[in-house]
Amino acid sequence: MSQRHLLALFNNFEDAEAAIYELRAADIKGFKFDDLTLKSPIEHHEVESVLGQRSANVQWFSLGGSLVGGLLGFFLISGSQANFYAQMKGGKPIVPFPPNFVLTFEMCVLGGVFITILGFLICAGLPAKRSPLYNAKVSEDQIGVLVKADESAMPKIKGVFLNHDVLEIQEEVSK
Amino acid sequence: MEKDTNESAAWTKRENESPIPKHERRASEKDIRESIAWAKINQDVLKSMETPRKLYWVILFFAFAAFSVGVGCEVYQYQNGMGVSNKNNPHAWGLYISTFIFWIGMSHSGTLLSAILHLMHADWRKPIFRFAEALTTFSLMTAGLFVMVHLGRLWQFYYSVPYPDERGLWPNFQSPLLWDAMAIFTYLSSSILFLYIGMIPDLAICRDHLHEGWRKNLYTWLSLGWEGTDRQWRNFRVTYLTIACFLIPLAVSVHSIVAADFAMSQQPGWHVTSFPAYFVAGALYSGCSAIITLFIILRYVFKFEEYMTLPILKKTVRLTFAIAMIWTYLNAVEFASVWYSHDQASKDVLIQKVIGPFAPFWWGMIFCGSVVPLTLAFKRFQTNIPVLFVVSLLLNLGMWLERWMIVAPTFSHGYYPWTWDHDQWPGFVQWGMVFASFGWFTMLFMGFCKVFPSVSMYEVKEMVYHRKLHLKKSETAEQGAH
Amino acid sequence: MIDSGLDRRDFLKVLGWGGAAVALSGCGNTSVEDGKETVVSYVEAADYVIPGIGVYYNSTCAQCDAGCSINGRVREGRVLKLEGNPASAINRGRTCGLGQAGVQHHYNPDRVREPLLRHGDKNEVITWDKAYALIAEKLSGAKGDEVAFLSGGVSGHLKVLLGNYLDSIGSKNHFVYEALAPAVVRAANKKAYGVEMPRYNINKAKVVLSFGADFLGAWVSPVHFSQQYAQFRKGVDGQRGVLIQVESKMTLTGANADRWIPVRPGTEGILALGIINALGTASGDIAAAVKGYDRARVSKETGVPPGQIDKIAALLKLRSPSLVLAGSAAEGYAHGSQNAAAINLLNQVLGNVGKTVEASTSVPFPQMAPAKGNTVALKSLNDGLAAGKYKVLFCYAANPVFTAPGAMKFKDHLAKAGFKVAFAHYLDETALQADLVLPLDSALEDWGTQVPEYMTEGAQINIQQPLMEKLHANTRGMGDILLALVKQRRAEEYKSFDDYYAYLRGAMLLNKNALGGSGADDDTFWNETLTKGIVKLAGSAGTLSGKASAAGLTLPVPSAADVQYPLQLIPGVTASLRDGRHANQPWLQESPDPLTTIVWDSWVEIHPKKAAELHITEGDIVEVTSRSGSIRAQAYLFPGIHPDAISVPLGRGHEALGRYAKGYGANPFQILDAVFDQETGELAMHETRVKVSKTGQRVVVVKDEGAAGGKQMGRKIAVLVTTDEVDLSKEA
Amino acid sequence: MSVSNLLENWAQFRHFHPIDDKPHDPYKWAMSIDLDACTGCNACSVACYAENNLPVVGKEKYQHGHGMHWMRIERYWDEGLGVAGGSDFPDHGAQFLPMMCQQCEAAPCETVCPAAATNHTADGLNSQIYNRCVGSRYCSANCPFKVRYFNWYDYPTTDNVWPAEMNQQLNPDVTVRSKGVMEKCTFCVQRLHAAKGTAKNEGRLVHDGDVQTACQQVCPTGAITFGNLVDHESKVHKQWQSQQVELDKDAQVKDQKEGGSGLRGYRIFEELRPYPSVMYLERVRESAI
């Protein structure tokens, strides 16, 4: 059975939140709650209480990135010192710790930042194609709720939205 | 004096015409009005990005002209050798390095303050962090130019870059200069990414509200298909927070490493333990005053009175004052630690700063850096825009002098009395390059303001939203109490 | 030696490729890149050119008359560096800065390259044949008396040849002029010791008391004395020699003294007599002569504290032998001979004669002994010129237009000479006044022999030989020119000599036995001689005659203050620029003066106290005015000068000579008064009185000394210790 | 590869030099300069110009401090001269000090070069690699002696530095430096190389006296001694030994002995611990006069 998208726009977050609560409670056949996406001009982390704890794993990338960066930094530097110029400078050891630690730290941060960004792009699914239904109002002042559901569930979902002062409902043109 | 009053009056007039209703302005020093409509935020900020007025082009032209002076100087210097800039043995560095530190310092408040305040949930940062981060990025880019300009063999600059090479040649990782390069590279790239990541939602707004032209394409590309979905926001928050965490120690490390260029050396007047702290304080200081300057300019030019409000300015000013006092204290620490060290050479350098040929500049630095900021302690000046504008410029002049006073006296008055040289003044090539750096920065910054939103729209919306929630909560609480 | 089979053009090609490409590769200014030279492979180079391998030749330094032997490093046919020849007793492998710069004389871009006929300010390039013909023509119109030859100090075979030439002309007018020769001291020595230049054994002395003799800097044979000085400082048995320097302007030697005594200008002789008095060992007429010179009077007249005089006398008494030297500072007065005599008397009283003052070995060929230059010669030449006596004037190795005192008006008088021929390396001030300028080979291209005036242990003849091919095709050696000229008049006598080389070789071989080559065949002897660069001679050691006497010794009471010209001008003689002939050698221009560290310019040394009185600060351009003229130079506050004197260094202030000399500094010769020593008639160089006035202009003094002005600020850089704190005997 | 080298030689890579390192072997070039013999005549400085292709920069550039004298003679006056209570005249003469690169064992300049253009060689020299230099001038900034000279201009192409003919004097064994690189005294490394080459061909080490630096060779008073410090037969070794100056100490017997040691060997700025390779012998002055 074909699925369709539907975007409901709300004037404020409370309305959208209430609508989502109801959708979750309604248990509509042909609509999985995970297929609901909230689109908002600002971050509403209150939404987690409605949507449930959805994962955000960027921090693991950060950890990995800084570890790799740091290790790479230290071994690159110490290795190059040990190999290329095993030659004294200023009476310091050939592999001197203080400068190498400074650079290890910088590499650690560099790796961390770069891989975090990479992680962000992966986790947030960016860069992405635009989703089928989008309204520029979402980046201005309205809250959008995008649902993907079976054709059959659509009327019910619409009903829920209408209960909650929806401003506008956009529907994907059926294929 | 009279002129001041006139200007003051003009400003008061502007303030009176401000869209913020008078009673709200007076009532509770709110840093932002809850009642601002989100659509209006979009509208106001996007308006600042519209096709510029004639004056913009005129200023840009002058900035470009100033930059061209520097290009000319560089070509001349490249052709003839570093000697044309009037440096010598012992004055090996001169204005290039002092101005380099100045710009590096300038870069500090943007990203560092933005990150710290972000972590501390100080949401008054929200309307100002964007341009502050841009300030960071562009001043780093300006600072980077000085590293290049400074090199005797610019065309071989890549010898100090670590890259795998057939002959197995590597740069010297012991050199603080290399740490510097590495730290600046890390800082610059992280700052650009931080700025960019924080701008993605705004870029999406731009994309959504511009319907044609190269800008549309640009924003479409840059916004990476951002739609403000919950997943995007969730990951965005974590990412932003993580990078902020990375950036704080990084920013501190960057200026401590710049300090290490001096502190790790063996020269009197440089080999000072307090230098890293001194440099970081100085950096924050000059950065904050630069923020005040740009704050005032943007507020005026883009009519951002509703976002860049006086309470926010006041907070920034108070922060600046605190840092000014820290900086002053660290100056005293430097003196005290040298004075009790029994290191005659270092003492001589200090004495030289105070009463030698550099004395006018050194006292100028003390005046601008420690005396002028005292005005900021007075409440009436904390929101007095004309005063603040002048003060912030003076503070930055002071900070530029500070950097010069760090670099030059040690060269002129080092360990070896035979090579003391008190007469070598920077030549026109050096001054030209310093002058040009301001043109270059202005060019970049003005370009940025017209291409990217200089106030973060989504964060301002957040701020407004949170204020509203807060208000509601307190109202409910009040009602409950009744 | 150098194979003439290699023609010059090929040689230069090699130079062009080897020199430019090897030395300057990567510098972007090679002549090869300019397309000016054809690339020729090393295959065509001469045998002795081994790429990358240096060849060493011995020769003699011609930068001054001390006669140091040098050892030149030649690579790819180019002479690169001069070192001292260790075999020479004079310099024992060492050289001075002046000697080092010899290569810059050779490679100097401002050398004259073609014979020039001068018409006013214009030069016409002519051929050598035409030049010689011209000389012959002019000489034919002049009587012998009407021909004068002015030269610097000459010796060896050149002197012989020159003598023969003048003889052939019938002229006795050979004026040997050296602006800075110790001529008064020579005369005083002759009187006291019986020889003009005895051998001074500084190394054997325990105390050296020098009255203005800058033996470490520019006096007589500085490289030799420097080595003696090093031994003197080490001491014979761990007792380090003590150097006391008495002078009004600190010289390099004064700067190295244990005690430097600023004496009122011109009162050196009085101090010497005062010391004799204080010693109390003299008897007879000497005691009578010094009787009046008690401490109080001497102290008053010389400005030296009485305690100081006693201390010196006590030390001289305690440590024997000592050595007392009279230098240019003592001799440069109208009573210079008296000063020198008084100082020599002190030596005699101390019993140093025979110990630290010894007779030098004489060269067995008196005709080769050096013609010693002096300033009397200049005076008589000048008088002759003023009277219009000379129709033809030759000038070689002297630049009197630059070095003659302004008061003599030499340049004006020179114009009265009919035809002036200058043998010149550069178009110097004198050459510019000449009608015919003949370009000379540099000392590194030329053949010659030299006999130094100051002989060390044993006698020696120095050989000068080319270290490389001629740089310029049309320069000629002085010997070759003289030979050509003398052939014009005595063709028969000299026809067997193709060139000066042949003459020299022939002359040397003629005396092979006397020169230590008995038994060797000609070629071996000659090659060995050239290889060594020195011919050591057995020579007979003379004895010193003359007995100590104070007869005729009258020292004038220092004159009362001159209100109009209150200061004494002391022309400073620096080790590197001397009388100015080397001013176009940039190394010397940029080598800081050891005492003031000033480069590239002249300065007026003035005592800080006097300067404060006159409100002069460092860098003020001051006008120094004497009765004979005035010059302008920057002021330098110098503590090592008597407050009643100022000093301006000689050697700079050229109006010609070359790019490195012209326009730098001022020439104090210009303002010297024509005052002469009463006895010898030598020019009294220190006898000019001047006044100093500020002009209001200021410059930054270009010097090496930093802003600390020679203070160490307690940093322990150049550390000092007194003899009672060290034990020198244990040192390696 | 580099990492395995790192791990295998870990202990060797963690030595501080010279304090806990074995001495250079077989060569450690060092110098001693007797200030009592030095007369300040400048011959060494001119010889250095001749040997090492130093440019003559001219008056104007010299005024701006662009002089390139690797070996400079400094003239110091007594501290009491001209100050209140002191003398108006330099009664004890001046003090001269030849100053050139001290070839420090723990050279402050080496650590700071970003391009690794200056290194410590196996012979104990502080080497400058012109090709590698990027011209950051950090080494010069960190040199306590300020003996590093920068090519502020492109001297080979500057008028009247080496005009035609004069350029033929340039020593082909020594690079002519172009603009933007740092240079300094090398202890005449070209001569050292030549001597080592000769010695190697003969299957021996360089003997004392085989090689002289240009300044040493010219010095009229023989104030400069140069040689191999680890060669016990060398004069420089004997001098260092008799003065009890040790390369790897930052305070010598002379400074520590109560009541004077009778020694006069010292190194400048020893307290900064650069461990210079040049020992100076104090100038002596007669106490009796």
Side-chain angles (χ1 to χ4, degrees), chain C residues 185 189 193 197-203 219 225 228 323-325 347 356-358 454:
Chain C
V185 169
N189 286 348
Y193 313 134
M197 195 49 78
R199 197 142 58 82
Y200 297 114
N201 294 322
I202 295 171
N203 51 339
W219 191 67
F225 290 142
Q228 290 197 334
L323 173 63
V324 185
L325 296 170
N347 237 348
T356 54
V357 181
E358 286 183 296
Y454 183 84

PDB file of all heavy atoms in Angstrom, chain C residues 185 189 193 197-203 219 225 228 323-325 347 356-358 454:
ATOM      1  N   VAL C 185     111.524  60.393  13.925  1.00  0.00           N
ATOM      2  CA  VAL C 185     112.068  59.358  14.800  1.00  0.00           C
ATOM      3  C   VAL C 185     113.332  58.758  14.186  1.00  0.00           C
ATOM      4  O   VAL C 185     114.312  58.493  14.877  1.00  0.00           O
ATOM      5  CB  VAL C 185     110.994  58.277  15.070  1.00  0.00           C
ATOM      6  CG1 VAL C 185     111.605  57.065  15.741  1.00  0.00           C
ATOM      7  CG2 VAL C 185     109.879  58.858  15.915  1.00  0.00           C
ATOM      8  N   ASN C 189     116.700  58.644  16.065  1.00  0.00           N
ATOM      9  CA  ASN C 189     117.373  57.372  16.287  1.00  0.00           C
ATOM     10  C   ASN C 189     118.804  57.422  15.771  1.00  0.00           C
ATOM     11  O   ASN C 189     119.726  56.916  16.399  1.00  0.00           O
ATOM     12  CB  ASN C 189     116.628  56.241  15.565  1.00  0.00           C
ATOM     13  CG  ASN C 189     115.343  55.885  16.284  1.00  0.00           C
ATOM     14  OD1 ASN C 189     115.118  56.316  17.408  1.00  0.00           O
ATOM     15  ND2 ASN C 189     114.503  55.114  15.625  1.00  0.00           N
ATOM     16  N   TYR C 193     121.229  56.353  18.383  1.00  0.00           N
ATOM     17  CA  TYR C 193     121.735  54.978  18.275  1.00  0.00           C
ATOM     18  C   TYR C 193     122.688  54.782  17.107  1.00  0.00           C
ATOM     19  O   TYR C 193     123.254  53.713  16.936  1.00  0.00           O
ATOM     20  CB  TYR C 193     120.574  53.991  18.093  1.00  0.00           C
ATOM     21  CG  TYR C 193     119.419  54.187  19.058  1.00  0.00           C
ATOM     22  CD1 TYR C 193     118.113  54.183  18.592  1.00  0.00           C
ATOM     23  CD2 TYR C 193     119.643  54.353  20.430  1.00  0.00           C
ATOM     24  CE1 TYR C 193     117.047  54.340  19.445  1.00  0.00           C
ATOM     25  CE2 TYR C 193     118.576  54.521  21.285  1.00  0.00           C
ATOM     26  CZ  TYR C 193     117.275  54.523  20.799  1.00  0.00           C
ATOM     27  OH  TYR C 193     116.242  54.679  21.635  1.00  0.00           O
ATOM     28  N   MET C 197     116.654  53.002  11.970  1.00  0.00           N
ATOM     29  CA  MET C 197     115.577  52.136  12.441  1.00  0.00           C
ATOM     30  C   MET C 197     116.161  50.900  13.107  1.00  0.00           C
ATOM     31  O   MET C 197     116.486  49.936  12.433  1.00  0.00           O
ATOM     32  CB  MET C 197     114.664  51.749  11.259  1.00  0.00           C
ATOM     33  CG  MET C 197     113.322  51.167  11.658  1.00  0.00           C
ATOM     34  SD  MET C 197     112.400  52.096  12.903  1.00  0.00           S
ATOM     35  CE  MET C 197     111.719  53.428  11.945  1.00  0.00           C
ATOM     36  N   PRO C 198     116.361  50.960  14.396  1.00  0.00           N
ATOM     37  CA  PRO C 198     116.895  49.795  15.076  1.00  0.00           C
ATOM     38  C   PRO C 198     115.821  48.719  15.195  1.00  0.00           C
ATOM     39  O   PRO C 198     114.685  48.910  14.767  1.00  0.00           O
ATOM     40  CB  PRO C 198     117.264  50.341  16.450  1.00  0.00           C
ATOM     41  CG  PRO C 198     116.327  51.461  16.670  1.00  0.00           C
ATOM     42  CD  PRO C 198     116.031  52.028  15.335  1.00  0.00           C
ATOM     43  N   ARG C 199     116.216  47.632  15.749  1.00  0.00           N
ATOM     44  CA  ARG C 199     115.260  46.566  15.965  1.00  0.00           C
ATOM     45  C   ARG C 199     114.742  46.693  17.386  1.00  0.00           C
ATOM     46  O   ARG C 199     115.521  46.735  18.338  1.00  0.00           O
ATOM     47  CB  ARG C 199     115.964  45.221  15.775  1.00  0.00           C
ATOM     48  CG  ARG C 199     115.084  44.055  15.575  1.00  0.00           C
ATOM     49  CD  ARG C 199     115.714  43.109  14.550  1.00  0.00           C
ATOM     50  NE  ARG C 199     117.050  42.661  14.965  1.00  0.00           N
ATOM     51  CZ  ARG C 199     117.252  41.654  15.812  1.00  0.00           C
ATOM     52  NH1 ARG C 199     116.248  41.001  16.328  1.00  0.00           N
ATOM     53  NH2 ARG C 199     118.476  41.289  16.132  1.00  0.00           N
ATOM     54  N   TYR C 200     113.422  46.767  17.527  1.00  0.00           N
ATOM     55  CA  TYR C 200     112.831  46.880  18.855  1.00  0.00           C
ATOM     56  C   TYR C 200     112.393  45.493  19.304  1.00  0.00           C
ATOM     57  O   TYR C 200     111.648  44.813  18.620  1.00  0.00           O
ATOM     58  CB  TYR C 200     111.604  47.792  18.826  1.00  0.00           C
ATOM     59  CG  TYR C 200     111.920  49.221  18.445  1.00  0.00           C
ATOM     60  CD1 TYR C 200     111.442  49.768  17.267  1.00  0.00           C
ATOM     61  CD2 TYR C 200     112.699  50.021  19.281  1.00  0.00           C
ATOM     62  CE1 TYR C 200     111.710  51.070  16.925  1.00  0.00           C
ATOM     63  CE2 TYR C 200     112.979  51.343  18.932  1.00  0.00           C
ATOM     64  CZ  TYR C 200     112.488  51.855  17.757  1.00  0.00           C
ATOM     65  OH  TYR C 200     112.767  53.150  17.415  1.00  0.00           O
ATOM     66  N   ASN C 201     112.844  45.091  20.440  1.00  0.00           N
ATOM     67  CA  ASN C 201     112.432  43.785  20.945  1.00  0.00           C
ATOM     68  C   ASN C 201     111.352  43.937  22.003  1.00  0.00           C
ATOM     69  O   ASN C 201     111.607  43.830  23.196  1.00  0.00           O
ATOM     70  CB  ASN C 201     113.633  43.043  21.541  1.00  0.00           C
ATOM     71  CG  ASN C 201     114.644  42.712  20.483  1.00  0.00           C
ATOM     72  OD1 ASN C 201     114.289  42.375  19.360  1.00  0.00           O
ATOM     73  ND2 ASN C 201     115.918  42.849  20.822  1.00  0.00           N
ATOM     74  N   ILE C 202     110.188  44.158  21.509  1.00  0.00           N
ATOM     75  CA  ILE C 202     109.074  44.314  22.448  1.00  0.00           C
ATOM     76  C   ILE C 202     108.924  43.048  23.285  1.00  0.00           C
ATOM     77  O   ILE C 202     108.634  43.086  24.481  1.00  0.00           O
ATOM     78  CB  ILE C 202     107.777  44.631  21.677  1.00  0.00           C
ATOM     79  CG1 ILE C 202     107.906  45.981  20.997  1.00  0.00           C
ATOM     80  CG2 ILE C 202     106.565  44.617  22.598  1.00  0.00           C
ATOM     81  CD1 ILE C 202     106.788  46.312  20.053  1.00  0.00           C
ATOM     82  N   ASN C 203     109.162  41.917  22.634  1.00  0.00           N
ATOM     83  CA  ASN C 203     108.956  40.637  23.326  1.00  0.00           C
ATOM     84  C   ASN C 203     109.935  40.425  24.470  1.00  0.00           C
ATOM     85  O   ASN C 203     109.678  39.653  25.383  1.00  0.00           O
ATOM     86  CB  ASN C 203     109.029  39.475  22.327  1.00  0.00           C
ATOM     87  CG  ASN C 203     110.272  39.540  21.471  1.00  0.00           C
ATOM     88  OD1 ASN C 203     110.882  40.598  21.329  1.00  0.00           O
ATOM     89  ND2 ASN C 203     110.666  38.412  20.927  1.00  0.00           N
ATOM     90  N   TRP C 219     102.044  51.659  12.986  1.00  0.00           N
ATOM     91  CA  TRP C 219     103.394  52.192  13.113  1.00  0.00           C
ATOM     92  C   TRP C 219     104.445  51.181  12.655  1.00  0.00           C
ATOM     93  O   TRP C 219     104.549  50.095  13.223  1.00  0.00           O
ATOM     94  CB  TRP C 219     103.644  52.587  14.567  1.00  0.00           C
ATOM     95  CG  TRP C 219     104.892  53.397  14.789  1.00  0.00           C
ATOM     96  CD1 TRP C 219     105.123  54.654  14.349  1.00  0.00           C
ATOM     97  CD2 TRP C 219     106.051  52.986  15.515  1.00  0.00           C
ATOM     98  NE1 TRP C 219     106.354  55.073  14.759  1.00  0.00           N
ATOM     99  CE2 TRP C 219     106.953  54.064  15.481  1.00  0.00           C
ATOM    100  CE3 TRP C 219     106.423  51.831  16.188  1.00  0.00           C
ATOM    101  CZ2 TRP C 219     108.195  54.012  16.084  1.00  0.00           C
ATOM    102  CZ3 TRP C 219     107.660  51.786  16.787  1.00  0.00           C
ATOM    103  CH2 TRP C 219     108.545  52.883  16.735  1.00  0.00           C
ATOM    104  N   PHE C 225     105.115  43.634  15.133  1.00  0.00           N
ATOM    105  CA  PHE C 225     105.055  44.082  16.532  1.00  0.00           C
ATOM    106  C   PHE C 225     103.917  43.395  17.281  1.00  0.00           C
ATOM    107  O   PHE C 225     104.017  43.132  18.474  1.00  0.00           O
ATOM    108  CB  PHE C 225     104.883  45.604  16.595  1.00  0.00           C
ATOM    109  CG  PHE C 225     106.109  46.365  16.161  1.00  0.00           C
ATOM    110  CD1 PHE C 225     106.000  47.531  15.419  1.00  0.00           C
ATOM    111  CD2 PHE C 225     107.374  45.915  16.494  1.00  0.00           C
ATOM    112  CE1 PHE C 225     107.123  48.226  15.020  1.00  0.00           C
ATOM    113  CE2 PHE C 225     108.505  46.611  16.096  1.00  0.00           C
ATOM    114  CZ  PHE C 225     108.378  47.763  15.356  1.00  0.00           C
ATOM    115  N   GLN C 228     105.199  40.216  18.515  1.00  0.00           N
ATOM    116  CA  GLN C 228     106.078  40.446  19.663  1.00  0.00           C
ATOM    117  C   GLN C 228     105.260  40.796  20.892  1.00  0.00           C
ATOM    118  O   GLN C 228     105.541  40.344  21.999  1.00  0.00           O
ATOM    119  CB  GLN C 228     107.035  41.597  19.350  1.00  0.00           C
ATOM    120  CG  GLN C 228     108.065  41.267  18.318  1.00  0.00           C
ATOM    121  CD  GLN C 228     109.207  42.266  18.353  1.00  0.00           C
ATOM    122  OE1 GLN C 228     109.032  43.414  18.767  1.00  0.00           O
ATOM    123  NE2 GLN C 228     110.371  41.836  17.928  1.00  0.00           N
ATOM    124  N   LEU C 323     111.363  49.071  27.442  1.00  0.00           N
ATOM    125  CA  LEU C 323     111.541  49.637  26.110  1.00  0.00           C
ATOM    126  C   LEU C 323     110.727  50.900  26.029  1.00  0.00           C
ATOM    127  O   LEU C 323     109.557  50.921  26.413  1.00  0.00           O
ATOM    128  CB  LEU C 323     111.076  48.622  25.046  1.00  0.00           C
ATOM    129  CG  LEU C 323     111.032  49.108  23.600  1.00  0.00           C
ATOM    130  CD1 LEU C 323     112.427  49.476  23.104  1.00  0.00           C
ATOM    131  CD2 LEU C 323     110.447  48.047  22.688  1.00  0.00           C
ATOM    132  N   VAL C 324     111.377  51.952  25.561  1.00  0.00           N
ATOM    133  CA  VAL C 324     110.661  53.214  25.403  1.00  0.00           C
ATOM    134  C   VAL C 324     110.606  53.536  23.924  1.00  0.00           C
ATOM    135  O   VAL C 324     111.621  53.480  23.226  1.00  0.00           O
ATOM    136  CB  VAL C 324     111.358  54.347  26.184  1.00  0.00           C
ATOM    137  CG1 VAL C 324     110.524  55.613  26.104  1.00  0.00           C
ATOM    138  CG2 VAL C 324     111.574  53.937  27.629  1.00  0.00           C
ATOM    139  N   LEU C 325     109.409  53.804  23.440  1.00  0.00           N
ATOM    140  CA  LEU C 325     109.239  54.059  22.016  1.00  0.00           C
ATOM    141  C   LEU C 325     108.732  55.476  21.800  1.00  0.00           C
ATOM    142  O   LEU C 325     107.889  55.967  22.537  1.00  0.00           O
ATOM    143  CB  LEU C 325     108.215  53.094  21.425  1.00  0.00           C
ATOM    144  CG  LEU C 325     108.557  51.604  21.446  1.00  0.00           C
ATOM    145  CD1 LEU C 325     107.347  50.801  21.051  1.00  0.00           C
ATOM    146  CD2 LEU C 325     109.717  51.331  20.525  1.00  0.00           C
ATOM    147  N   ASN C 347     115.332  55.890  27.073  1.00  0.00           N
ATOM    148  CA  ASN C 347     115.726  54.522  26.742  1.00  0.00           C
ATOM    149  C   ASN C 347     117.170  54.269  27.132  1.00  0.00           C
ATOM    150  O   ASN C 347     117.514  53.228  27.696  1.00  0.00           O
ATOM    151  CB  ASN C 347     115.576  54.312  25.226  1.00  0.00           C
ATOM    152  CG  ASN C 347     114.661  53.154  24.916  1.00  0.00           C
ATOM    153  OD1 ASN C 347     114.319  52.366  25.815  1.00  0.00           O
ATOM    154  ND2 ASN C 347     114.273  53.040  23.672  1.00  0.00           N
ATOM    155  N   THR C 356     116.730  45.716  24.478  1.00  0.00           N
ATOM    156  CA  THR C 356     115.474  45.726  23.744  1.00  0.00           C
ATOM    157  C   THR C 356     115.562  46.609  22.506  1.00  0.00           C
ATOM    158  O   THR C 356     114.681  46.581  21.671  1.00  0.00           O
ATOM    159  CB  THR C 356     114.319  46.226  24.636  1.00  0.00           C
ATOM    160  OG1 THR C 356     114.682  47.489  25.181  1.00  0.00           O
ATOM    161  CG2 THR C 356     114.035  45.246  25.742  1.00  0.00           C
ATOM    162  N   VAL C 357     116.579  47.387  22.422  1.00  0.00           N
ATOM    163  CA  VAL C 357     116.818  48.141  21.195  1.00  0.00           C
ATOM    164  C   VAL C 357     118.123  47.612  20.626  1.00  0.00           C
ATOM    165  O   VAL C 357     119.168  47.740  21.252  1.00  0.00           O
ATOM    166  CB  VAL C 357     116.939  49.652  21.468  1.00  0.00           C
ATOM    167  CG1 VAL C 357     117.162  50.405  20.170  1.00  0.00           C
ATOM    168  CG2 VAL C 357     115.718  50.157  22.193  1.00  0.00           C
ATOM    169  N   GLU C 358     118.012  46.965  19.473  1.00  0.00           N
ATOM    170  CA  GLU C 358     119.208  46.361  18.893  1.00  0.00           C
ATOM    171  C   GLU C 358     119.397  46.870  17.484  1.00  0.00           C
ATOM    172  O   GLU C 358     118.446  47.325  16.842  1.00  0.00           O
ATOM    173  CB  GLU C 358     119.066  44.833  18.874  1.00  0.00           C
ATOM    174  CG  GLU C 358     119.223  44.197  20.232  1.00  0.00           C
ATOM    175  CD  GLU C 358     119.148  42.690  20.140  1.00  0.00           C
ATOM    176  OE1 GLU C 358     118.087  42.165  19.759  1.00  0.00           O
ATOM    177  OE2 GLU C 358     120.143  42.039  20.442  1.00  0.00           O
ATOM    178  N   TYR C 454     111.987  48.096   7.981  1.00  0.00           N
ATOM    179  CA  TYR C 454     112.170  47.554   9.324  1.00  0.00           C
ATOM    180  C   TYR C 454     112.510  46.089   9.204  1.00  0.00           C
ATOM    181  O   TYR C 454     111.705  45.278   8.761  1.00  0.00           O
ATOM    182  CB  TYR C 454     110.890  47.725  10.161  1.00  0.00           C
ATOM    183  CG  TYR C 454     111.079  47.246  11.577  1.00  0.00           C
ATOM    184  CD1 TYR C 454     111.639  48.070  12.541  1.00  0.00           C
ATOM    185  CD2 TYR C 454     110.741  45.948  11.935  1.00  0.00           C
ATOM    186  CE1 TYR C 454     111.846  47.623  13.828  1.00  0.00           C
ATOM    187  CE2 TYR C 454     110.941  45.481  13.217  1.00  0.00           C
ATOM    188  CZ  TYR C 454     111.494  46.325  14.166  1.00  0.00           C
ATOM    189  OH  TYR C 454     111.714  45.884  15.442  1.00  0.00           O
TER     190      TYR C 454
END
